[in-house]
């Protein structure tokens, strides 16, 4: 790659280059100059304010030992922190960084923040921030205008916006305002029974279905479904008709407001039995259930809508849900459209959501619409310049390219102008330093719903204090100045932010082209993007392979200027990837010499986790060791439904396990030029991918290995080998319990050792590297690792396994058990043992030998003994496994860990319908009916607990390692 990544940059990118410090600090001289200028201005300002006051820090003070010692300490601490920051900070400025939605902040924002920070204004009130309050108001207008909100009073309500510390708080405020708006008519009706009685006989409003009615004649359902504009217009209508001032109205309503008496009181007063609910996509940000909890709506009432195969809200499912709410007369606070999910970059169908609101308003159901555009808001700057859709225009014939938004995405972003409120984060795609979120209201009167004072707090300067609105009190004026300067310098249009984000979009699409084509039928790995190719949507595999080859031929490896001259290639490129600058993809691998694609979700997850460990912040903090930064997400089967199922199918995976997904976000405009993608980023990724694929294949291939068992029992009439499995290795991926016999000498030594140390757990390990088929029914040589004796001959009882289940992910249960914890129980009443049933990963192996059953009762002792001999299912009652998983290493080592000697459990024992030969590998706990025994069990001294080996990879067959010599075998003595 040439040292100059941009040999022929066009004017667009020249401007972009001036807005950032640069990956190599190319603009450091400019930054130094203006930081120095800021400091000089601060000095002049301080010295020119009442110069007659003289100096407060005198030369004598600065020469004192105390002063010098303090300054020395400051220098030492500063240098220590600077060193840590220098060596271990994540390099957000680097074009190699493609993980989170964080980037190098732009220079105007950085300088604006530094300059304002030196004056430390607090935007809670105008008195403390006369400059930055006005600037924040202007920033609110800038954002509202960019989002296509109205500022002309003759055309309708005037918009209003302000800054928050982030998108989470902005979303919280939108929940707060929607909740208060929904209950405002009920509070007003309550007041009309008392203080406002004089308007009850004449005050009329338009119902949701546009029928004019007396306000006091509206039903509770009608009150809960007044349109947003109607509710916000109520105070003004009462002022115009009756002269009721805003101040008096606020005073009266304070007694009846949800802010004062709470939601439950209002619901009980008006007999609202079905809770009002919020509707969000299943890909919603965590701030939505959190906001539901904080505002007392309840996270359970943040109802989720399934997503389609591209991760967008399923509009048909939403329509169905709205229909149910209408039929059941259950009100809705708001429907949230995510305009750029943080995980997939998906943009929900806002235009269709708006149409649905109109449809249901005509039937009497109304609600707010909020657009969560924390990530996608600034992409509206790409929706103005339609001329750039022409791939033949001169500006696009350049080395540094940018791309237009897909038509569907642009349509959704433009539709935000009709939403009631919008979250937008300058500290994301606005390239402003943290903290800088934002919330904009289409109707500025909505802010009065979340204030604790009169609508306008007047000051000596007749200026509004922003701090009276919203969640926050104190907040930095520096964030407002940083955002303002970024907007003014860069510009909220297609040549400003649209240029930066357009270059990022181009880079994102080029990476998407690589993720779609990097694997072939001959590569040992499989890479599959979440977003399907156009031909995949048509489900034509032949055409799909042709399109992949077309991408390789016309996009991969071509220089930007050549690609821009090819309209067909540019059209295809624009169809790749997600709606915005995010690529989600996952990797899998082929086994059996490349003939079979791995179908184990956990094996694929382990591969992707290992890839991520090489392409994210290392524990050592050595950031130079990371060649290309990625991040990850998880597609939960429960939350993503068909989207997750279909994606796993495309990867060749089976089962209901959640899928671990890699993700790259493109924010840097400096990876767009030259061949940085094809010659740096992708080769670095492929190198790691090939290395980890080799490891994954080795782990997923069943081969001879050494095997470990926990010994249970004290004599050959009741001796069992409980296998120590590993979820992530095919050679050890089984849950196995085998009756066994020891030779007389070994049994004597073992019995003596157990008597000498009743707390010890004895581990038997095979001497030779064996396959499963070589152990079944054959006499094997093994060593009890914590007994100083020679190797022993063990007979695994003539091809009879008590329990034998594959732990392949396709047999895993979708959830852990609730209310109980299942175990296998086997042996006899006098000598019974248990081993935890491993239903899914991650998990914990819990085994106990010689448990007490003296308090277990059964109707038929003969049947009970028979089922114990063949192995039954024991449920610990009241032990909620779902609430305990996953266990941590520190937790199982606690003295009061629940599974310990002396623990007593209430239990029920059931017949096991699972075949012992492994022919029914998916444990069917749901088939359990009537218990064969109930009562209590007590754990004795001999207990084994493990989470580490179960959930990792065994060292005795780890890839790239030589077989362990006998003298290297680690002796285990677990207490």
């Amino acid at each position: 790659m040439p040292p100059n990544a941009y040999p022929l940059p066009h004017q667009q990118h020249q401007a972009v280059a001036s807005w950032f410090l640069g990956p190599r600090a190319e603009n450091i001289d400019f930054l130094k100059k203006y930081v120095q200028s800021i400091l000089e201005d601060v000095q002049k300002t301080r010295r020119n304010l009442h110069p007659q006051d003289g100096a407060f820090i005198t030369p004598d003070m600065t020469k004192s030992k105390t002063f010098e010692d303090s300054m020395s300490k400051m220098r030492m601490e500063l240098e220590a922190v600077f060193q840590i920051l220098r060596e271990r900070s994540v390099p957000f400025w680097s074009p190699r960084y493609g993980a989170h939605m964080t980037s190098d902040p732009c220079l105007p924002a950085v300088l604006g923040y530094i300059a304002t920070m030196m004056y430390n204004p607090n935007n809670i009130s105008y008195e403390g921030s006369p400059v930055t309050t006005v600037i924040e108001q202007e920033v609110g207008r800038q954002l509202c205008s960019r989002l296509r909100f109205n500022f002309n009073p003759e055309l309708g309500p005037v918009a209003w916006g302000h800054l928050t510390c982030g998108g989470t708080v902005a979303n919280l405020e939108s929940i707060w305002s929607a909740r208060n708006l929904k209950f405002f008519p009920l509070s007003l009706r309550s007041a009309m029974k008392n203080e406002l009685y004089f308007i009850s006989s004449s005050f009329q409003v338009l119902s949701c279905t546009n029928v004019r009615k007396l306000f006091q004649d509206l039903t509770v359902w009608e009150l809960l479904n007044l349109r947003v504009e109607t509710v916000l217009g109520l105070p003004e209508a009462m002022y115009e008709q009756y002269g009721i001032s805003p101040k008096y109205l606020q005073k009266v309503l304070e007694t009846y407001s949800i802010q004062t008496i709470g939601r439950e009181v209002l619901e009980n007063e008006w007999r609202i039995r079905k809770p009002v609910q919020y509707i969000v996509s299943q890909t919603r940000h965590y701030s939505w259930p959190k906001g539901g909890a904080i505002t007392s709506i309840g996270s359970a009432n943040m109802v989720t809508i399934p997503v389609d195969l591209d991760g967008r809200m399923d509009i048909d499912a939403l329509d169905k849900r709205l229909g149910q709410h209408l039929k059941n007369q259950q009100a809705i606070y708001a429907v949230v459209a995510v305009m750029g999910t943080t995980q997939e970059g998906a943009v929900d169908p806002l235009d269709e959501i708006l149409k649905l609101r109109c449809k249901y308003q005509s039937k009497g159901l109304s609600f707010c619409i909020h657009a969560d555009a924390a990530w996608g808001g600034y992409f509206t700057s790409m929706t103005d310049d339609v001329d750039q859709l022409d791939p033949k225009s001169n500006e696009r014939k350049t080395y540094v390219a940018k791309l237009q938004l897909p038509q569907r995405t642009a349509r959704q972003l433009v539709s935000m102008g009709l939403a009631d409120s919008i979250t937008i984060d300058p500290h994301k795609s606005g390239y402003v330093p943290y903290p800088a979120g934002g919330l904009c209201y289409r109707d500025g009167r909505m802010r009065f719903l979340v204030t604790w004072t009169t609508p306008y707090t007047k000051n000596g300067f007749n200026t509004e204090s922003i701090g009276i609105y919203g969640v926050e009190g104190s907040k930095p004026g520096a964030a407002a100045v940083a955002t303002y300067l970024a907007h003014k310098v860069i510009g909220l249009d297609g040549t400003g932010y649209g240029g930066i984000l357009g270059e990022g979009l181009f880079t994102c699409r080029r990476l998407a082209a690589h993720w779609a084509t990097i694997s072939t039928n001959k590569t040992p790995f499989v890479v599959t993007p979440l977003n399907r190719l156009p031909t995949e949507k048509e489900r034509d595999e032949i055409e799909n392979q042709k399109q992949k080859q077309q991408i390789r031929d016309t996009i991969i490896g071509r220089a930007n200027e050549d690609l821009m001259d090819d309209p067909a290639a540019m059209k295809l490129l624009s169809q790749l990837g997600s709606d915005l600058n995010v690529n989600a993809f996952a990797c899998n691998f082929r086994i059996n010499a490349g003939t079979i694609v791995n179908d184990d979700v956990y094996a694929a997850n382990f591969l992707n986790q290992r890839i991520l460990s090489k392409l994210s912040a290392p524990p050592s903090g050595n950031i130079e060791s990371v060649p290309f930064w990625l991040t990850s997400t998880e597609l939960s089967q429960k939350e993503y439904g068909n989207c997750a199922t279909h994606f796993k199918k495309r990867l060749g995976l089976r089962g209901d396990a959640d899928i671990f997904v890699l993700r790259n976000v493109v924010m840097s405009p400096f990876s767009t030029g030259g061949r940085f993608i094809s010659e740096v980023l992708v080769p670095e990724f492929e190198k790691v991918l090939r290395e980890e694929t080799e490891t994954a294949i080795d782990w997923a291939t069943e081969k001879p290995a050494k095997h470990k068992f926990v010994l249970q029992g004290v004599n050959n009439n009741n001796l069992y080998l409980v296998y120590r499995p590993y979820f992530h290795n095919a050679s050890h991926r089984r849950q196995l319990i085998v009756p066994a016999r020891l030779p007389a000498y070994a049994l004597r030594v073992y019995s003596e050792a157990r008597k000498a140390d009743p707390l010890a757990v004895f581990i038997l390990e095979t001497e030779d590297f064996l396959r499963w088929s070589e152990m079944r029914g054959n006499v094997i040589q093994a060593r009890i690792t914590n007994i100083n004796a020679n190797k022993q001959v063990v007979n695994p009882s003539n091809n009879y396994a008590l329990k034998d289940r594959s732990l392949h992910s396709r047999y895993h249960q979708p959830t852990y058990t609730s209310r109980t914890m299942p175990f296998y129980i086997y042996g006899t009443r006098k000598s019974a043992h248990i081993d935890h049933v491993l239903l899914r990963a991650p998990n914990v192996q819990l085994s106990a030998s010689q448990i007490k059953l003296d308090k277990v009762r059964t109707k038929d002792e003969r049947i009970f003994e028979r089922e114990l001999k063949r192995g039954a299912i024991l449920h610990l009652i009241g032990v909620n496994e779902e609430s305990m998983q996953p266990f941590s290493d520190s937790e199982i080592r606690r003295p009061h860990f629940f599974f310990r000697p002396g623990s007593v459990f209430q239990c029920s024992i059931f017949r096991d319908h699972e075949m012992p030969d492994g022919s029914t590998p998916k444990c069917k706990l749901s088939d359990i009916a009537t218990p064969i025994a109930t009562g209590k069990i007590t754990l004795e001294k001999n207990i084994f607990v493990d989470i580490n080996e179960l959930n990792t990879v065994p060292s005795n067959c780890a890839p790239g390692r030589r077989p362990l010599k006998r003298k290297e075998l680690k002796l285990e003595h677990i207490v």
Side-chain angles (χ1 to χ4, degrees):
M1 176 178 170
N4 182 359
Y6 302 99
L8 292 174
H10 61 55
Q11 293 180 355
Q12 170 81 48
H13 192 74
Q14 287 175 341
V16 171
S18 73
W19 297 331
F20 296 90
L21 180 58
R24 299 292 181 185
E26 292 88 344
N27 291 325
I28 192 66
D29 289 340
F30 180 88
L31 181 61
K32 286 180 179 179
K33 176 181 177 181
Y34 277 91
V35 169
Q36 180 64 32
S37 177
I38 289 168
L39 298 178
E40 289 174 355
D41 281 348
V42 169
Q43 181 185 48
K44 290 177 183 178
T45 300
R46 295 190 178 203
R47 290 184 175 180
N48 290 339
L49 181 65
H50 302 299
Q52 68 274 17
D53 291 347
F56 292 89
I57 302 176
T58 65
D60 289 342
M61 293 171 64
T62 61
K63 293 176 182 178
S64 69
K65 185 178 185 305
T66 302
F67 186 94
E68 290 178 350
D69 288 347
S70 180
M71 294 296 284
S72 177
K73 180 181 179 181
M74 191 189 308
R75 281 191 293 270
M76 181 181 68
E77 296 298 335
L78 285 171
E79 289 170 2
V81 171
F82 291 167
Q83 181 179 355
I84 295 173
L85 289 172
R86 184 170 62 250
E87 294 176 355
R88 300 202 173 190
S89 291
V90 176
F92 300 126
W93 64 85
S94 172
R96 291 174 180 257
Y97 184 82
H100 297 279
M101 293 167 173
T102 308
S103 181
D104 201 16
C106 62
L107 279 177
V110 169
L111 289 169
Y113 202 100
I114 293 173
T116 313
M117 179 179 62
M118 298 305 298
Y119 297 92
N120 199 30
N122 180 357
N123 274 24
I124 189 172
S125 68
Y126 180 82
E127 289 90 340
S129 53
V131 176
T132 53
T133 289
V134 173
I135 288 178
E136 182 174 345
Q137 291 170 338
E138 176 58 24
V139 167
R141 286 189 286 270
Q142 290 172 338
L143 292 172
C144 288
S145 295
R146 178 60 272 170
L147 297 170
R148 289 181 166 79
F149 282 169
N150 173 57
F151 277 99
N152 185 347
E154 296 180 0
L155 299 179
V158 173
W160 186 85
H162 71 119
L163 293 181
T164 66
C165 65
T168 295
V169 169
N171 286 340
L172 174 60
E173 183 183 327
S174 76
I175 297 171
W176 187 16
S177 60
R179 185 203 68 170
N180 292 355
L181 181 128
K182 184 60 64 174
F183 284 95
F184 184 86
L186 298 179
S187 300
L188 182 59
R189 269 285 293 275
S190 297
M192 288 170 63
K193 297 176 183 178
N194 297 294
E195 292 91 341
L196 298 179
Y197 69 92
F198 58 92
I199 72 171
S200 59
S201 62
S202 57
F203 185 53
Q204 295 183 341
V205 296
L206 284 175
S207 70
C208 181
T209 55
N210 272 326
V211 176
R212 184 163 293 279
K213 293 184 176 182
L214 273 176
F215 192 82
Q216 71 169 4
D217 290 342
L218 293 174
T219 65
V220 173
W221 174 251
E222 288 176 317
L223 288 170
L224 287 172
N225 285 282
L226 291 177
R227 300 190 183 198
V228 174
E229 59 270 23
T230 301
V231 177
L232 295 177
L234 290 175
E236 186 176 349
M238 286 185 284
Y239 174 76
E240 291 177 351
Q241 296 181 44
Y242 307 100
I244 299 173
S245 70
K247 187 174 182 179
Y248 177 76
L249 181 61
Q250 184 184 39
K251 178 183 177 181
V252 168
L253 290 181
E254 187 174 353
T255 305
Y256 310 98
S257 169
I258 189 173
Q259 304 268 73
T260 304
I261 62 177
R263 176 183 55 81
E264 291 185 3
V265 173
L266 275 172
E267 287 180 338
N268 289 333
E269 178 185 347
W270 293 97
R271 298 180 181 178
I272 300 170
R273 302 295 177 239
K274 298 172 183 176
V276 187
Q277 294 183 321
Y278 241 88
I279 294 182
V280 297
S281 167
Q282 284 190 328
T283 58
R284 81 279 187 262
H285 190 260
Y286 65 83
S287 59
W288 291 104
K290 181 190 290 186
I294 293 172
T295 56
S296 84
I297 289 173
S299 60
N301 289 315
M302 308 300 283
V303 179
T304 58
I305 300 298
V307 295
D308 62 18
L309 299 184
D310 295 305
R312 306 169 187 143
M313 181 184 284
D314 186 328
I315 199 67
D316 292 332
L318 174 62
D319 190 3
K320 182 178 179 181
R321 182 78 196 198
L322 294 175
Q324 291 172 350
H325 277 261
L326 178 64
K327 179 180 178 181
N328 299 329
Q329 290 208 336
Q330 185 171 15
I332 298 169
Y333 292 108
V335 174
V336 179
V338 184
M339 311 308 287
T341 59
T342 56
Q343 310 299 345
E344 310 86 16
V347 173
D348 284 339
L350 179 57
D351 58 345
E352 296 297 327
I353 295 173
L354 289 162
K355 291 178 183 177
L356 283 179
R357 177 164 71 171
C358 292
K359 169 184 172 180
Y360 282 95
Q361 281 178 335
S362 67
K363 299 179 180 182
L365 175 67
S366 186
F367 44 84
C368 294
I369 291 180
H370 178 80
D372 185 355
W375 170 236
Y378 277 83
F379 284 85
T380 56
S381 60
M382 299 178 65
T383 59
D384 295 335
D385 197 348
V386 296
D387 294 333
Q388 293 183 0
L389 287 171
D390 181 7
K392 294 283 188 180
S393 66
N394 293 331
E395 183 179 82
R396 295 176 69 109
K397 293 184 178 181
T398 56
Y399 279 86
V400 180
K402 70 176 185 178
L403 201 65
Q404 293 300 308
L405 286 169
Q407 185 177 0
R408 179 203 165 276
T409 304
R411 187 171 67 250
Q412 307 315 314
L413 295 179
V414 170
S415 297
M416 285 199 294
L418 297 176
D420 297 301
S421 54
I422 301 174
T423 293
I424 180 171
D425 278 1
H427 65 210
K428 284 191 174 72
S429 49
Y431 297 87
V432 171
Y434 290 98
L439 180 66
C440 297
Y441 295 112
R442 182 166 60 92
D443 188 331
R445 296 173 297 180
M446 205 163 183
R447 72 188 186 276
F448 301 144
L449 295 166
V450 286
T451 178
W452 290 98
T453 184
T454 51
Y456 282 90
T457 298
K458 301 296 184 180
N459 307 279
F461 298 94
N462 198 32
T463 303
E464 181 181 28
S465 289
I466 291 180
I468 65 173
Y469 304 113
V471 177
E472 295 164 285
S474 297
K475 58 181 180 178
V481 176
T483 307
Y484 172 80
L485 277 174
H487 291 175
K488 295 295 287 186
V489 173
I490 296 173
L492 290 164
D493 56 19
T495 59
Y497 276 103
I500 301 173
L501 297 171
E503 290 185 17
L505 187 63
F506 182 86
T507 301
C508 195
R509 295 294 188 266
R510 295 217 65 167
L511 281 169
H514 282 278
W515 305 150
T517 60
I518 192 171
S519 58
T520 68
N521 293 332
K522 296 181 179 180
T523 56
F525 52 80
V526 175
V527 179
T528 304
L530 175 65
N531 297 101
R532 298 163 294 165
L533 296 177
T535 50
E536 280 188 284
K537 296 176 182 179
E538 300 169 4
R539 301 189 178 184
D540 188 329
E541 182 57 28
I542 296 177
E543 291 301 316
N544 183 39
Q545 292 302 322
K546 288 181 180 180
Q547 189 162 75
K548 286 185 177 181
Q549 192 57 48
Q550 182 186 3
I551 293 171
R552 295 186 186 101
D553 294 340
T554 63
I555 297 176
I556 301 296
R558 292 183 72 182
N560 290 341
E561 68 275 17
D562 294 336
L563 186 57
M564 301 300 288
D565 280 331
D566 188 339
M570 287 299 296
K571 180 180 179 180
L572 178 57
L573 181 67
S574 67
Q575 296 174 316
L576 306 181
S578 70
D579 296 330
L580 298 177
N581 294 12
V582 179
N583 287 317
F585 62 99
C587 305
N588 198 6
F589 55 92
R590 292 184 171 89
I591 55 177
N592 289 7
T595 60
I596 299 175
V597 176
N598 163 65
D599 65 353
D600 187 333
V601 179
Y602 284 96
N605 286 350
F606 215 57
L607 167 62
N608 287 289
Q609 289 164 358
R610 286 186 61 88
I611 291 172
L612 183 68
S613 71
K614 298 290 181 66
L615 300 178
S616 59
S620 66
N622 180 17
I623 62 173
E624 294 182 2
S625 66
V626 183
F628 180 23
W629 293 74
L630 297 178
T631 185
S632 66
T633 187
E634 187 175 75
L635 299 191
S636 162
Q637 184 65 46
K638 179 180 179 181
E639 293 184 357
Y640 282 80
N642 288 336
C643 179
T645 299
H646 189 260
F647 186 47
K648 285 184 286 188
K649 182 178 180 181
R650 291 167 57 214
L651 279 159
L653 302 172
R654 299 169 61 188
D656 295 329
D658 301 338
I659 177 71
F660 188 90
V661 177
L662 300 174
R663 186 169 64 99
N664 82 270
V665 178
V666 179
M667 291 191 68
S668 173
F670 299 104
S671 54
T672 308
R675 296 179 181 269
F676 194 76
I677 298 171
S678 59
E679 295 183 0
V680 178
L681 298 183
V682 173
E684 293 283 15
F685 174 80
E686 187 172 351
K687 178 183 177 183
V688 172
L689 172 61
R690 288 187 178 276
E691 291 172 353
E692 297 307 328
T693 296
E694 183 179 345
T695 299
I697 292 172
D698 191 79
W699 290 341
T701 303
E702 185 177 343
K703 54 185 178 294
K706 292 198 173 186
H707 302 273
K708 293 181 182 180
F709 299 83
V710 176
L711 270 169
Q712 292 183 332
V714 293
N715 58 63
N716 279 337
N717 293 326
N718 191 29
L719 192 68
Y720 294 90
L721 302 180
V722 178
Y723 189 62
R724 295 191 60 182
Y726 301 80
F727 280 118
H728 301 296
N729 191 287
S731 301
H732 300 266
R733 196 167 52 202
R734 302 194 76 81
Q735 182 160 21
L736 179 69
I737 302 172
V738 184
R741 300 181 64 83
L742 289 176
Y745 165 74
L747 183 63
R748 179 174 57 81
V749 175
Y750 164 65
S751 298
E752 291 174 353
R754 181 175 286 284
K755 289 179 182 179
D757 190 353
L759 292 176
V761 173
F762 294 87
I763 306 297
L764 183 142
E765 184 172 25
T766 62
E767 281 287 302
D768 300 316
F769 287 78
L770 302 172
R771 295 182 184 273
W772 282 104
S773 58
E774 295 172 323
M775 291 196 298
R776 293 290 297 269
N778 296 320
V779 175
I780 60 175
Q781 292 185 338
R783 180 186 298 275
I784 302 175
T785 58
N786 45 349
I787 294 180
N788 187 18
N790 295 326
K791 63 186 179 182
Q792 307 300 328
V793 175
V794 181
N795 185 352
S797 294
N798 300 320
N799 204 32
Y800 170 61
L802 192 74
K803 300 297 171 189
D804 184 5
R805 285 180 52 239
S806 169
L807 295 181
H808 192 290
S809 66
R810 67 172 171 265
Y811 303 126
H812 288 196
Q813 301 282 6
T815 60
Y816 299 103
T817 56
S818 60
R819 299 188 180 139
T820 68
M821 189 176 225
F823 286 77
Y824 290 120
I825 181 169
Y826 42 93
T828 66
R829 178 182 278 276
K830 293 182 179 180
S831 181
H833 320 287
I834 59 174
D835 187 47
H836 178 220
V837 182
L838 304 174
L839 296 177
R840 59 175 287 137
N843 219 305
V844 59
Q845 186 169 11
L846 303 169
S847 301
S849 181
Q850 305 295 125
I851 66 171
K852 284 186 179 180
L853 297 178
D854 52 351
K855 295 184 179 181
V856 172
R857 299 173 299 279
T858 179
K859 292 182 178 180
D860 191 322
E861 187 67 25
R862 183 180 58 83
I863 293 177
F864 178 58
E865 287 284 1
R866 183 191 69 196
E867 294 303 323
L868 281 182
K869 186 175 181 180
R870 68 186 295 270
I873 297 289
L874 175 143
H875 278 271
L876 300 185
I877 307 301
V879 180
N880 189 323
E881 181 173 2
E882 186 178 27
S883 69
M884 302 166 77
Q885 293 278 11
F887 290 90
S888 66
D889 187 61
S890 60
E891 186 177 4
I892 67 173
R893 295 179 184 276
R894 288 189 298 112
H896 299 293
F897 182 59
F898 86 101
F899 198 80
R900 65 184 186 276
S903 294
V904 179
F905 300 100
Q906 192 76 31
C907 71
S908 294
I909 300 174
F910 301 83
R911 179 180 288 107
D912 184 12
H913 297 279
E914 185 179 332
M915 299 298 293
D917 60 0
S919 60
T920 55
K922 193 163 186 175
C923 191
K924 299 180 179 179
L925 297 179
S926 60
D927 292 346
I928 294 172
T930 305
I932 58 174
T934 59
K936 293 182 180 180
I937 64 167
T938 303
L939 303 187
E940 291 294 287
K941 297 178 180 179
N942 197 243
I943 288 175
F944 175 77
V945 179
D946 170 69
I947 62 167
N948 293 319
E949 294 196 20
L950 174 64
N951 298 297
T952 56
V953 179
S955 60
N956 60 8
C957 65
R961 300 188 184 183
R962 59 189 174 82
L964 294 173
K965 294 181 180 178
R966 188 169 305 167
K967 66 180 182 180
E968 295 174 307
L969 288 174
K970 182 179 179 181
L971 303 185
E972 298 190 49
H973 190 86
I974 303 174
V975 178

